[in-house]
PDB file of all heavy atoms in Angstrom:
ATOM      1  N   GLY A 220     -38.589  13.036  11.836  1.00 83.00           N
ATOM      2  CA  GLY A 220     -39.724  12.162  12.103  1.00 83.00           C
ATOM      3  C   GLY A 220     -39.438  10.707  11.861  1.00 83.00           C
ATOM      4  O   GLY A 220     -40.359   9.919  11.617  1.00 83.00           O
ATOM      5  N   GLU A 221     -38.183  10.311  11.965  1.00 86.00           N
ATOM      6  CA  GLU A 221     -37.775   8.945  11.605  1.00 86.00           C
ATOM      7  C   GLU A 221     -38.388   7.883  12.518  1.00 86.00           C
ATOM      8  O   GLU A 221     -38.485   6.718  12.132  1.00 86.00           O
ATOM      9  CB  GLU A 221     -36.250   8.833  11.658  1.00 86.00           C
ATOM     10  CG  GLU A 221     -35.655   9.170  13.007  1.00 86.00           C
ATOM     11  CD  GLU A 221     -34.140   9.248  12.991  1.00 86.00           C
ATOM     12  OE1 GLU A 221     -33.561   9.283  11.896  1.00 86.00           O
ATOM     13  OE2 GLU A 221     -33.551   9.252  14.080  1.00 86.00           O
ATOM     14  N   SER A 222     -38.824   8.268  13.728  1.00 86.00           N
ATOM     15  CA  SER A 222     -39.388   7.270  14.641  1.00 86.00           C
ATOM     16  C   SER A 222     -40.857   6.987  14.359  1.00 86.00           C
ATOM     17  O   SER A 222     -41.439   6.077  14.952  1.00 86.00           O
ATOM     18  CB  SER A 222     -39.235   7.733  16.100  1.00 86.00           C
ATOM     19  OG  SER A 222     -39.949   8.938  16.323  1.00 86.00           O
ATOM     20  N   GLY A 223     -41.487   7.749  13.459  1.00 93.00           N
ATOM     21  CA  GLY A 223     -42.878   7.488  13.109  1.00 93.00           C
ATOM     22  C   GLY A 223     -43.831   8.559  13.588  1.00 93.00           C
ATOM     23  O   GLY A 223     -43.426   9.579  14.158  1.00 93.00           O
ATOM     24  N   SER A 224     -45.110   8.325  13.368  1.00 96.00           N
ATOM     25  CA  SER A 224     -46.148   9.305  13.676  1.00 96.00           C
ATOM     26  C   SER A 224     -46.255   9.553  15.186  1.00 96.00           C
ATOM     27  O   SER A 224     -46.024   8.648  15.995  1.00 96.00           O
ATOM     28  CB  SER A 224     -47.493   8.822  13.146  1.00 96.00           C
ATOM     29  OG  SER A 224     -47.433   8.577  11.756  1.00 96.00           O
ATOM     30  N   PHE A 225     -46.633  10.771  15.545  1.00 97.00           N
ATOM     31  CA  PHE A 225     -46.877  11.090  16.955  1.00 97.00           C
ATOM     32  C   PHE A 225     -47.797  12.307  17.041  1.00 97.00           C
ATOM     33  O   PHE A 225     -47.963  13.058  16.082  1.00 97.00           O
ATOM     34  CB  PHE A 225     -45.569  11.356  17.715  1.00 97.00           C
ATOM     35  CG  PHE A 225     -44.757  12.521  17.212  1.00 97.00           C
ATOM     36  CD1 PHE A 225     -44.985  13.814  17.682  1.00 97.00           C
ATOM     37  CD2 PHE A 225     -43.756  12.333  16.267  1.00 97.00           C
ATOM     38  CE1 PHE A 225     -44.230  14.890  17.219  1.00 97.00           C
ATOM     39  CE2 PHE A 225     -42.993  13.400  15.796  1.00 97.00           C
ATOM     40  CZ  PHE A 225     -43.226  14.675  16.271  1.00 97.00           C
ATOM     41  N   THR A 226     -48.402  12.459  18.207  1.00 97.00           N
ATOM     42  CA  THR A 226     -49.281  13.587  18.487  1.00 97.00           C
ATOM     43  C   THR A 226     -48.853  14.225  19.797  1.00 97.00           C
ATOM     44  O   THR A 226     -48.536  13.514  20.766  1.00 97.00           O
ATOM     45  CB  THR A 226     -50.750  13.132  18.611  1.00 97.00           C
ATOM     46  OG1 THR A 226     -51.174  12.564  17.371  1.00 97.00           O
ATOM     47  CG2 THR A 226     -51.666  14.283  18.971  1.00 97.00           C
ATOM     48  N   MET A 227     -48.839  15.562  19.841  1.00 97.00           N
ATOM     49  CA  MET A 227     -48.533  16.294  21.068  1.00 97.00           C
ATOM     50  C   MET A 227     -49.732  17.150  21.440  1.00 97.00           C
ATOM     51  O   MET A 227     -50.292  17.852  20.598  1.00 97.00           O
ATOM     52  CB  MET A 227     -47.296  17.183  20.880  1.00 97.00           C
ATOM     53  CG  MET A 227     -46.054  16.429  20.471  1.00 97.00           C
ATOM     54  SD  MET A 227     -44.589  17.490  20.458  1.00 97.00           S
ATOM     55  CE  MET A 227     -44.394  17.813  22.210  1.00 97.00           C
ATOM     56  N   LEU A 228     -50.122  17.070  22.711  1.00 95.00           N
ATOM     57  CA  LEU A 228     -51.284  17.801  23.196  1.00 95.00           C
ATOM     58  C   LEU A 228     -50.877  18.759  24.313  1.00 95.00           C
ATOM     59  O   LEU A 228     -50.142  18.371  25.229  1.00 95.00           O
ATOM     60  CB  LEU A 228     -52.341  16.828  23.729  1.00 95.00           C
ATOM     61  CG  LEU A 228     -52.849  15.762  22.746  1.00 95.00           C
ATOM     62  CD1 LEU A 228     -53.719  14.754  23.487  1.00 95.00           C
ATOM     63  CD2 LEU A 228     -53.615  16.402  21.603  1.00 95.00           C
ATOM     64  N   ARG A 229     -51.366  19.988  24.223  1.00 94.00           N
ATOM     65  CA  ARG A 229     -51.147  20.980  25.282  1.00 94.00           C
ATOM     66  C   ARG A 229     -52.503  21.476  25.750  1.00 94.00           C
ATOM     67  O   ARG A 229     -53.436  21.607  24.959  1.00 94.00           O
ATOM     68  CB  ARG A 229     -50.304  22.148  24.775  1.00 94.00           C
ATOM     69  CG  ARG A 229     -50.066  23.245  25.816  1.00 94.00           C
ATOM     70  CD  ARG A 229     -49.009  24.223  25.335  1.00 94.00           C
ATOM     71  NE  ARG A 229     -47.708  23.543  25.204  1.00 94.00           N
ATOM     72  CZ  ARG A 229     -46.656  24.082  24.614  1.00 94.00           C
ATOM     73  NH1 ARG A 229     -46.748  25.280  24.050  1.00 94.00           N
ATOM     74  NH2 ARG A 229     -45.515  23.421  24.554  1.00 94.00           N
ATOM     75  N   PHE A 230     -52.605  21.779  27.045  1.00 88.00           N
ATOM     76  CA  PHE A 230     -53.885  22.122  27.643  1.00 88.00           C
ATOM     77  C   PHE A 230     -53.855  23.518  28.258  1.00 88.00           C
ATOM     78  O   PHE A 230     -52.789  24.015  28.628  1.00 88.00           O
ATOM     79  CB  PHE A 230     -54.247  21.087  28.709  1.00 88.00           C
ATOM     80  CG  PHE A 230     -54.167  19.682  28.184  1.00 88.00           C
ATOM     81  CD1 PHE A 230     -53.008  18.931  28.328  1.00 88.00           C
ATOM     82  CD2 PHE A 230     -55.237  19.120  27.508  1.00 88.00           C
ATOM     83  CE1 PHE A 230     -52.919  17.646  27.828  1.00 88.00           C
ATOM     84  CE2 PHE A 230     -55.158  17.835  26.993  1.00 88.00           C
ATOM     85  CZ  PHE A 230     -54.002  17.100  27.149  1.00 88.00           C
ATOM     86  N   PRO A 231     -55.016  24.149  28.374  1.00 82.00           N
ATOM     87  CA  PRO A 231     -55.039  25.491  28.964  1.00 82.00           C
ATOM     88  C   PRO A 231     -54.672  25.494  30.439  1.00 82.00           C
ATOM     89  O   PRO A 231     -54.239  26.524  30.966  1.00 82.00           O
ATOM     90  CB  PRO A 231     -56.493  25.950  28.743  1.00 82.00           C
ATOM     91  CG  PRO A 231     -57.275  24.711  28.482  1.00 82.00           C
ATOM     92  CD  PRO A 231     -56.328  23.733  27.867  1.00 82.00           C
ATOM     93  N   GLU A 232     -54.838  24.346  31.124  1.00 74.00           N
ATOM     94  CA  GLU A 232     -54.486  24.281  32.538  1.00 74.00           C
ATOM     95  C   GLU A 232     -52.963  24.288  32.696  1.00 74.00           C
ATOM     96  O   GLU A 232     -52.280  23.387  32.217  1.00 74.00           O
ATOM     97  CB  GLU A 232     -55.064  23.001  33.175  1.00 74.00           C
ATOM     98  CG  GLU A 232     -56.580  22.979  33.267  1.00 74.00           C
ATOM     99  CD  GLU A 232     -57.240  22.577  31.960  1.00 74.00           C
ATOM    100  OE1 GLU A 232     -56.521  22.261  30.996  1.00 74.00           O
ATOM    101  OE2 GLU A 232     -58.471  22.580  31.904  1.00 74.00           O
ATOM    102  N   SER A 233     -52.450  25.277  33.404  1.00 73.00           N
ATOM    103  CA  SER A 233     -50.999  25.442  33.518  1.00 73.00           C
ATOM    104  C   SER A 233     -50.343  24.335  34.336  1.00 73.00           C
ATOM    105  O   SER A 233     -49.145  24.078  34.197  1.00 73.00           O
ATOM    106  CB  SER A 233     -50.663  26.804  34.145  1.00 73.00           C
ATOM    107  OG  SER A 233     -51.256  26.922  35.429  1.00 73.00           O
ATOM    108  N   ASP A 234     -51.123  23.677  35.205  1.00 69.00           N
ATOM    109  CA  ASP A 234     -50.523  22.639  36.050  1.00 69.00           C
ATOM    110  C   ASP A 234     -50.640  21.244  35.439  1.00 69.00           C
ATOM    111  O   ASP A 234     -50.344  20.248  36.091  1.00 69.00           O
ATOM    112  CB  ASP A 234     -51.148  22.635  37.455  1.00 69.00           C
ATOM    113  CG  ASP A 234     -52.661  22.707  37.434  1.00 69.00           C
ATOM    114  OD1 ASP A 234     -53.231  22.809  36.336  1.00 69.00           O
ATOM    115  OD2 ASP A 234     -53.270  22.679  38.522  1.00 69.00           O
ATOM    116  N   LEU A 235     -51.048  21.187  34.172  1.00 76.00           N
ATOM    117  CA  LEU A 235     -51.090  19.907  33.471  1.00 76.00           C
ATOM    118  C   LEU A 235     -50.032  19.920  32.370  1.00 76.00           C
ATOM    119  O   LEU A 235     -50.035  20.792  31.501  1.00 76.00           O
ATOM    120  CB  LEU A 235     -52.476  19.667  32.859  1.00 76.00           C
ATOM    121  CG  LEU A 235     -52.724  18.280  32.263  1.00 76.00           C
ATOM    122  CD1 LEU A 235     -52.616  17.211  33.345  1.00 76.00           C
ATOM    123  CD2 LEU A 235     -54.080  18.213  31.595  1.00 76.00           C
ATOM    124  N   SER A 236     -49.131  18.965  32.422  1.00 82.00           N
ATOM    125  CA  SER A 236     -48.024  18.940  31.464  1.00 82.00           C
ATOM    126  C   SER A 236     -48.499  18.536  30.074  1.00 82.00           C
ATOM    127  O   SER A 236     -49.573  17.942  29.910  1.00 82.00           O
ATOM    128  CB  SER A 236     -46.940  17.967  31.933  1.00 82.00           C
ATOM    129  OG  SER A 236     -47.438  16.644  31.946  1.00 82.00           O
ATOM    130  N   ASP A 237     -47.683  18.857  29.064  1.00 90.00           N
ATOM    131  CA  ASP A 237     -47.963  18.385  27.711  1.00 90.00           C
ATOM    132  C   ASP A 237     -47.927  16.854  27.697  1.00 90.00           C
ATOM    133  O   ASP A 237     -47.222  16.226  28.490  1.00 90.00           O
ATOM    134  CB  ASP A 237     -46.907  18.908  26.733  1.00 90.00           C
ATOM    135  CG  ASP A 237     -47.062  20.394  26.462  1.00 90.00           C
ATOM    136  OD1 ASP A 237     -47.922  21.036  27.096  1.00 90.00           O
ATOM    137  OD2 ASP A 237     -46.310  20.916  25.618  1.00 90.00           O
ATOM    138  N   ILE A 238     -48.688  16.277  26.776  1.00 91.00           N
ATOM    139  CA  ILE A 238     -48.739  14.821  26.652  1.00 91.00           C
ATOM    140  C   ILE A 238     -48.412  14.431  25.217  1.00 91.00           C
ATOM    141  O   ILE A 238     -48.910  15.049  24.268  1.00 91.00           O
ATOM    142  CB  ILE A 238     -50.129  14.276  27.042  1.00 91.00           C
ATOM    143  CG1 ILE A 238     -50.353  14.433  28.553  1.00 91.00           C
ATOM    144  CG2 ILE A 238     -50.281  12.808  26.648  1.00 91.00           C
ATOM    145  CD1 ILE A 238     -51.724  13.995  29.017  1.00 91.00           C
ATOM    146  N   VAL A 239     -47.565  13.431  25.065  1.00 93.00           N
ATOM    147  CA  VAL A 239     -47.260  12.857  23.757  1.00 93.00           C
ATOM    148  C   VAL A 239     -48.039  11.557  23.640  1.00 93.00           C
ATOM    149  O   VAL A 239     -47.989  10.701  24.532  1.00 93.00           O
ATOM    150  CB  VAL A 239     -45.755  12.588  23.594  1.00 93.00           C
ATOM    151  CG1 VAL A 239     -45.475  11.894  22.268  1.00 93.00           C
ATOM    152  CG2 VAL A 239     -44.968  13.891  23.690  1.00 93.00           C
ATOM    153  N   TYR A 240     -48.763  11.423  22.542  1.00 93.00           N
ATOM    154  CA  TYR A 240     -49.581  10.228  22.302  1.00 93.00           C
ATOM    155  C   TYR A 240     -48.969   9.435  21.161  1.00 93.00           C
ATOM    156  O   TYR A 240     -48.741   9.958  20.070  1.00 93.00           O
ATOM    157  CB  TYR A 240     -51.008  10.658  21.949  1.00 93.00           C
ATOM    158  CG  TYR A 240     -51.913   9.541  21.466  1.00 93.00           C
ATOM    159  CD1 TYR A 240     -52.464   8.621  22.355  1.00 93.00           C
ATOM    160  CD2 TYR A 240     -52.221   9.413  20.114  1.00 93.00           C
ATOM    161  CE1 TYR A 240     -53.299   7.608  21.907  1.00 93.00           C
ATOM    162  CE2 TYR A 240     -53.064   8.402  19.661  1.00 93.00           C
ATOM    163  CZ  TYR A 240     -53.597   7.506  20.563  1.00 93.00           C
ATOM    164  OH  TYR A 240     -54.426   6.505  20.121  1.00 93.00           O
ATOM    165  N   LEU A 241     -48.696   8.157  21.432  1.00 93.00           N
ATOM    166  CA  LEU A 241     -48.127   7.260  20.431  1.00 93.00           C
ATOM    167  C   LEU A 241     -49.064   6.072  20.278  1.00 93.00           C
ATOM    168  O   LEU A 241     -49.216   5.269  21.198  1.00 93.00           O
ATOM    169  CB  LEU A 241     -46.734   6.772  20.858  1.00 93.00           C
ATOM    170  CG  LEU A 241     -45.695   7.856  21.150  1.00 93.00           C
ATOM    171  CD1 LEU A 241     -44.431   7.223  21.716  1.00 93.00           C
ATOM    172  CD2 LEU A 241     -45.380   8.647  19.898  1.00 93.00           C
ATOM    173  N   GLU A 242     -49.689   5.959  19.117  1.00 91.00           N
ATOM    174  CA  GLU A 242     -50.664   4.889  18.904  1.00 91.00           C
ATOM    175  C   GLU A 242     -49.962   3.634  18.394  1.00 91.00           C
ATOM    176  O   GLU A 242     -49.110   3.694  17.517  1.00 91.00           O
ATOM    177  CB  GLU A 242     -51.731   5.347  17.916  1.00 91.00           C
ATOM    178  CG  GLU A 242     -52.886   4.367  17.780  1.00 91.00           C
ATOM    179  CD  GLU A 242     -54.062   4.966  17.038  1.00 91.00           C
ATOM    180  OE1 GLU A 242     -54.402   6.138  17.294  1.00 91.00           O
ATOM    181  OE2 GLU A 242     -54.625   4.262  16.176  1.00 91.00           O
ATOM    182  N   GLN A 243     -50.370   2.490  18.955  1.00 87.00           N
ATOM    183  CA  GLN A 243     -49.856   1.202  18.533  1.00 87.00           C
ATOM    184  C   GLN A 243     -51.010   0.368  17.970  1.00 87.00           C
ATOM    185  O   GLN A 243     -52.141   0.853  17.887  1.00 87.00           O
ATOM    186  CB  GLN A 243     -49.186   0.509  19.724  1.00 87.00           C
ATOM    187  CG  GLN A 243     -48.028   1.318  20.305  1.00 87.00           C
ATOM    188  CD  GLN A 243     -47.459   0.720  21.567  1.00 87.00           C
ATOM    189  OE1 GLN A 243     -48.159   0.044  22.320  1.00 87.00           O
ATOM    190  NE2 GLN A 243     -46.189   0.956  21.821  1.00 87.00           N
ATOM    191  N   LEU A 244     -50.729  -0.845  17.593  1.00 83.00           N
ATOM    192  CA  LEU A 244     -51.749  -1.656  16.935  1.00 83.00           C
ATOM    193  C   LEU A 244     -52.909  -1.994  17.868  1.00 83.00           C
ATOM    194  O   LEU A 244     -54.073  -1.944  17.472  1.00 83.00           O
ATOM    195  CB  LEU A 244     -51.120  -2.947  16.402  1.00 83.00           C
ATOM    196  CG  LEU A 244     -52.002  -3.805  15.490  1.00 83.00           C
ATOM    197  CD1 LEU A 244     -52.419  -3.023  14.254  1.00 83.00           C
ATOM    198  CD2 LEU A 244     -51.262  -5.079  15.101  1.00 83.00           C
ATOM    199  N   THR A 245     -52.603  -2.313  19.122  1.00 82.00           N
ATOM    200  CA  THR A 245     -53.653  -2.722  20.051  1.00 82.00           C
ATOM    201  C   THR A 245     -53.692  -1.898  21.336  1.00 82.00           C
ATOM    202  O   THR A 245     -54.420  -2.227  22.267  1.00 82.00           O
ATOM    203  CB  THR A 245     -53.478  -4.203  20.452  1.00 82.00           C
ATOM    204  OG1 THR A 245     -52.183  -4.379  21.043  1.00 82.00           O
ATOM    205  CG2 THR A 245     -53.597  -5.105  19.232  1.00 82.00           C
ATOM    206  N   SER A 246     -52.916  -0.829  21.384  1.00 84.00           N
ATOM    207  CA  SER A 246     -52.881   0.002  22.587  1.00 84.00           C
ATOM    208  C   SER A 246     -52.220   1.335  22.228  1.00 84.00           C
ATOM    209  O   SER A 246     -52.000   1.629  21.053  1.00 84.00           O
ATOM    210  CB  SER A 246     -52.091  -0.698  23.708  1.00 84.00           C
ATOM    211  OG  SER A 246     -50.740  -0.907  23.310  1.00 84.00           O
ATOM    212  N   ALA A 247     -51.923   2.124  23.246  1.00 86.00           N
ATOM    213  CA  ALA A 247     -51.281   3.417  23.008  1.00 86.00           C
ATOM    214  C   ALA A 247     -50.408   3.777  24.202  1.00 86.00           C
ATOM    215  O   ALA A 247     -50.617   3.293  25.325  1.00 86.00           O
ATOM    216  CB  ALA A 247     -52.332   4.502  22.779  1.00 86.00           C
ATOM    217  N   LEU A 248     -49.433   4.629  23.959  1.00 88.00           N
ATOM    218  CA  LEU A 248     -48.588   5.164  25.022  1.00 88.00           C
ATOM    219  C   LEU A 248     -48.907   6.639  25.215  1.00 88.00           C
ATOM    220  O   LEU A 248     -49.105   7.370  24.240  1.00 88.00           O
ATOM    221  CB  LEU A 248     -47.106   5.004  24.669  1.00 88.00           C
ATOM    222  CG  LEU A 248     -46.544   3.586  24.585  1.00 88.00           C
ATOM    223  CD1 LEU A 248     -45.092   3.637  24.115  1.00 88.00           C
ATOM    224  CD2 LEU A 248     -46.654   2.885  25.933  1.00 88.00           C
ATOM    225  N   TYR A 249     -48.946   7.057  26.472  1.00 86.00           N
ATOM    226  CA  TYR A 249     -49.136   8.471  26.812  1.00 86.00           C
ATOM    227  C   TYR A 249     -47.909   8.900  27.612  1.00 86.00           C
ATOM    228  O   TYR A 249     -47.712   8.449  28.739  1.00 86.00           O
ATOM    229  CB  TYR A 249     -50.399   8.666  27.644  1.00 86.00           C
ATOM    230  CG  TYR A 249     -51.684   8.332  26.914  1.00 86.00           C
ATOM    231  CD1 TYR A 249     -52.156   7.024  26.863  1.00 86.00           C
ATOM    232  CD2 TYR A 249     -52.431   9.322  26.285  1.00 86.00           C
ATOM    233  CE1 TYR A 249     -53.333   6.710  26.194  1.00 86.00           C
ATOM    234  CE2 TYR A 249     -53.607   9.014  25.613  1.00 86.00           C
ATOM    235  CZ  TYR A 249     -54.051   7.712  25.581  1.00 86.00           C
ATOM    236  OH  TYR A 249     -55.220   7.409  24.921  1.00 86.00           O
ATOM    237  N   LEU A 250     -47.088   9.735  27.024  1.00 88.00           N
ATOM    238  CA  LEU A 250     -45.856  10.175  27.672  1.00 88.00           C
ATOM    239  C   LEU A 250     -46.039  11.574  28.242  1.00 88.00           C
ATOM    240  O   LEU A 250     -46.506  12.469  27.539  1.00 88.00           O
ATOM    241  CB  LEU A 250     -44.696  10.180  26.672  1.00 88.00           C
ATOM    242  CG  LEU A 250     -44.482   8.906  25.842  1.00 88.00           C
ATOM    243  CD1 LEU A 250     -43.316   9.091  24.880  1.00 88.00           C
ATOM    244  CD2 LEU A 250     -44.254   7.700  26.743  1.00 88.00           C
ATOM    245  N   ASP A 251     -45.665  11.765  29.518  1.00 83.00           N
ATOM    246  CA  ASP A 251     -45.765  13.100  30.098  1.00 83.00           C
ATOM    247  C   ASP A 251     -44.537  13.495  30.908  1.00 83.00           C
ATOM    248  O   ASP A 251     -44.483  14.587  31.481  1.00 83.00           O
ATOM    249  CB  ASP A 251     -47.015  13.226  30.966  1.00 83.00           C
ATOM    250  CG  ASP A 251     -47.001  12.304  32.183  1.00 83.00           C
ATOM    251  OD1 ASP A 251     -46.085  11.459  32.290  1.00 83.00           O
ATOM    252  OD2 ASP A 251     -47.906  12.438  33.035  1.00 83.00           O
ATOM    253  N   LYS A 252     -43.538  12.616  30.957  1.00 86.00           N
ATOM    254  CA  LYS A 252     -42.303  12.987  31.659  1.00 86.00           C
ATOM    255  C   LYS A 252     -41.603  14.094  30.884  1.00 86.00           C
ATOM    256  O   LYS A 252     -41.469  14.006  29.650  1.00 86.00           O
ATOM    257  CB  LYS A 252     -41.382  11.774  31.798  1.00 86.00           C
ATOM    258  CG  LYS A 252     -41.933  10.695  32.731  1.00 86.00           C
ATOM    259  CD  LYS A 252     -40.960   9.534  32.864  1.00 86.00           C
ATOM    260  CE  LYS A 252     -41.520   8.470  33.808  1.00 86.00           C
ATOM    261  NZ  LYS A 252     -40.595   7.309  33.925  1.00 86.00           N
ATOM    262  N   PRO A 253     -41.163  15.148  31.583  1.00 89.00           N
ATOM    263  CA  PRO A 253     -40.576  16.309  30.892  1.00 89.00           C
ATOM    264  C   PRO A 253     -39.457  15.951  29.921  1.00 89.00           C
ATOM    265  O   PRO A 253     -39.381  16.504  28.820  1.00 89.00           O
ATOM    266  CB  PRO A 253     -40.053  17.176  32.050  1.00 89.00           C
ATOM    267  CG  PRO A 253     -40.937  16.823  33.201  1.00 89.00           C
ATOM    268  CD  PRO A 253     -41.241  15.361  33.036  1.00 89.00           C
ATOM    269  N   GLU A 254     -38.598  15.003  30.308  1.00 94.00           N
ATOM    270  CA  GLU A 254     -37.467  14.662  29.445  1.00 94.00           C
ATOM    271  C   GLU A 254     -37.932  13.959  28.167  1.00 94.00           C
ATOM    272  O   GLU A 254     -37.320  14.127  27.108  1.00 94.00           O
ATOM    273  CB  GLU A 254     -36.445  13.804  30.195  1.00 94.00           C
ATOM    274  CG  GLU A 254     -36.948  12.473  30.704  1.00 94.00           C
ATOM    275  CD  GLU A 254     -37.571  12.539  32.088  1.00 94.00           C
ATOM    276  OE1 GLU A 254     -37.961  13.654  32.529  1.00 94.00           O
ATOM    277  OE2 GLU A 254     -37.661  11.472  32.739  1.00 94.00           O
ATOM    278  N   GLU A 255     -39.004  13.184  28.269  1.00 94.00           N
ATOM    279  CA  GLU A 255     -39.528  12.510  27.078  1.00 94.00           C
ATOM    280  C   GLU A 255     -40.259  13.495  26.173  1.00 94.00           C
ATOM    281  O   GLU A 255     -40.084  13.499  24.948  1.00 94.00           O
ATOM    282  CB  GLU A 255     -40.470  11.383  27.494  1.00 94.00           C
ATOM    283  CG  GLU A 255     -39.778  10.241  28.214  1.00 94.00           C
ATOM    284  CD  GLU A 255     -40.738   9.172  28.693  1.00 94.00           C
ATOM    285  OE1 GLU A 255     -41.885   9.506  29.050  1.00 94.00           O
ATOM    286  OE2 GLU A 255     -40.339   7.993  28.708  1.00 94.00           O
ATOM    287  N   VAL A 256     -41.089  14.337  26.777  1.00 94.00           N
ATOM    288  CA  VAL A 256     -41.819  15.340  25.994  1.00 94.00           C
ATOM    289  C   VAL A 256     -40.841  16.261  25.275  1.00 94.00           C
ATOM    290  O   VAL A 256     -41.061  16.647  24.122  1.00 94.00           O
ATOM    291  CB  VAL A 256     -42.761  16.144  26.908  1.00 94.00           C
ATOM    292  CG1 VAL A 256     -43.390  17.305  26.138  1.00 94.00           C
ATOM    293  CG2 VAL A 256     -43.856  15.242  27.478  1.00 94.00           C
TER     294      VAL A 256
END
Side-chain angles (χ1 to χ4, degrees):
E221 58 188 13
S222 62
S224 303
F225 61 88
T226 298
M227 302 187 68
L228 303 171
R229 178 169 295 169
F230 308 93
E232 292 81 3
S233 59
D234 46 357
L235 188 62
S236 65
D237 288 5
I238 290 177
V239 176
Y240 171 76
L241 303 173
E242 188 168 318
Q243 300 174 332
L244 190 60
T245 58
S246 62
L248 294 176
Y249 295 85
L250 310 179
D251 64 353
K252 293 182 180 179
E254 61 272 19
E255 293 176 327
V256 173

